[in-house]
């Protein structure tokens, strides 16, 4: 009986330590962006303007987002920003574009679609896109980031949010990010 109790106690401690370490890996908190920061954020909506997902502008005509966001007739709103209000600054009004090209989703050798997708815009933008990562220099736990479709450190995207969990209670629901480094070659080849 004493051995079983010791084993259960050891397992409980192991799960607790693992849970604490998992929580430390999550990105929480944050702050509002300045009026000219993070212009690469994209809002993806239905044909009638209902919010579906966030995304990140790559190059000047590609959006990186999660594959589960796909639906026919979706639109991309570029130039959207928390501090940007239509009519307040010349050239900062959001532009809405209907996505007409088929989505490009990553599929592996077992014919499974991963939760990462590229959408091609019908028109190029003049917005500075987010940078692809230096995969040899990933952010460490405790680094500060950004959200809204992507996991961004500085001006570099490292992940695509697959599901968000609970923003107010990090331990309540799981959060998952697709590691952009795992898909970087596919992204570069697709967006050439």
């Amino acid at each position: 009986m004493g051995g079983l109790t010791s084993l259960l106690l050891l397992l409980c401690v192991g799960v607790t330590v693992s849970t604490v370490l998992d929580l430390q890996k999550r990105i929480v908190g944050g702050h509002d962006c300045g009026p000219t920061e993070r212009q690469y954020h994209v809002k993806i909506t239905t044909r009638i303007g209902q919010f579906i997902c966030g995304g990140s502008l790559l190059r000047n005509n590609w959006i990186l987002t999660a594959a589960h966001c796909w639906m026919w007739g979706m639109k991309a709103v570029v130039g959207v920003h928390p501090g940007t209000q239509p009519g307040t600054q010349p050239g900062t009004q959001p532009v809405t574009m209907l996505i007409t090209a088929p989505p490009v989703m990553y599929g592996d050798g077992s014919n499974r679609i991963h939760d990462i997708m590229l959408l091609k815009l019908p028109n190029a933008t003049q917005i500075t896109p987010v940078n692809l990562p230096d995969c040899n220099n990933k952010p460490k736990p405790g680094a500060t980031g950004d959200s809204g479709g992507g996991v961004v450190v500085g001006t570099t995207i490292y992940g695509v949010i697959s599901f968000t969990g609970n923003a107010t209670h990090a331990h309540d629901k799981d959060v998952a990010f697709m590691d952009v480094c795992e898909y970087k070659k596919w992204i570069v080849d697709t967006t050439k």
Side-chain angles (χ1 to χ4, degrees):
M1 184 66 116
L4 181 58
T5 303
S6 297
L7 178 61
L8 289 174
L9 181 59
L10 181 62
L11 287 173
C12 181
V13 169
V15 169
T16 303
V17 169
S18 174
T19 302
V20 170
L21 292 176
D22 288 343
L23 288 176
Q24 289 175 351
K25 294 178 188 174
R26 296 188 181 187
I27 298 173
V28 295
H31 58 85
D32 291 340
C33 296
T36 60
E37 295 178 315
R38 315 284 192 234
Q39 293 295 316
Y40 51 76
H41 286 303
V42 177
K43 180 168 77 172
I44 300 171
T45 69
T46 64
R47 186 177 293 272
I48 61 171
Q50 294 174 321
F51 177 78
I52 300 172
C53 284
S56 300
L57 186 67
L58 299 178
R59 301 197 183 259
N60 64 352
N61 62 339
W62 287 92
I63 297 168
L64 181 63
T65 190
H68 74 262
C69 298
W70 172 251
M71 72 168 39
W72 289 106
M74 63 193 317
K75 294 180 178 181
V77 184
V78 296
V80 66
H81 187 269
T84 302
Q85 297 297 319
T88 58
Q89 295 176 346
T92 60
Q93 287 83 11
V95 175
T96 302
M97 295 183 226
L98 180 66
I99 302 296
T100 55
V104 183
M105 298 179 191
Y106 183 88
D108 62 22
S110 299
N111 293 323
R112 291 179 299 210
I113 300 296
H114 294 212
D115 198 17
I116 192 164
M117 171 174 66
L118 291 163
L119 299 172
K120 188 168 187 179
L121 292 172
N123 302 308
T125 71
Q126 299 301 312
I127 297 169
T128 302
V130 68
N131 297 315
L132 286 174
D134 170 1
C135 297
N136 294 319
N137 189 22
K138 293 183 182 181
K140 307 290 184 251
T144 56
D146 191 12
S147 66
V151 179
V152 177
V153 176
T155 60
T156 303
I157 189 165
Y158 285 90
V160 173
I161 298 171
S162 186
F163 51 95
T164 59
N166 185 329
T168 58
H169 297 88
H171 64 280
D172 192 34
K173 293 182 181 176
D174 291 334
V175 176
F177 303 98
M178 302 300 291
D179 184 347
V180 171
C181 287
E182 298 295 319
Y183 304 94
K184 185 175 177 181
K185 182 182 181 329
W186 170 74
I187 291 167
V188 170
D189 291 346
T190 302
T191 61
K192 283 183 181 174

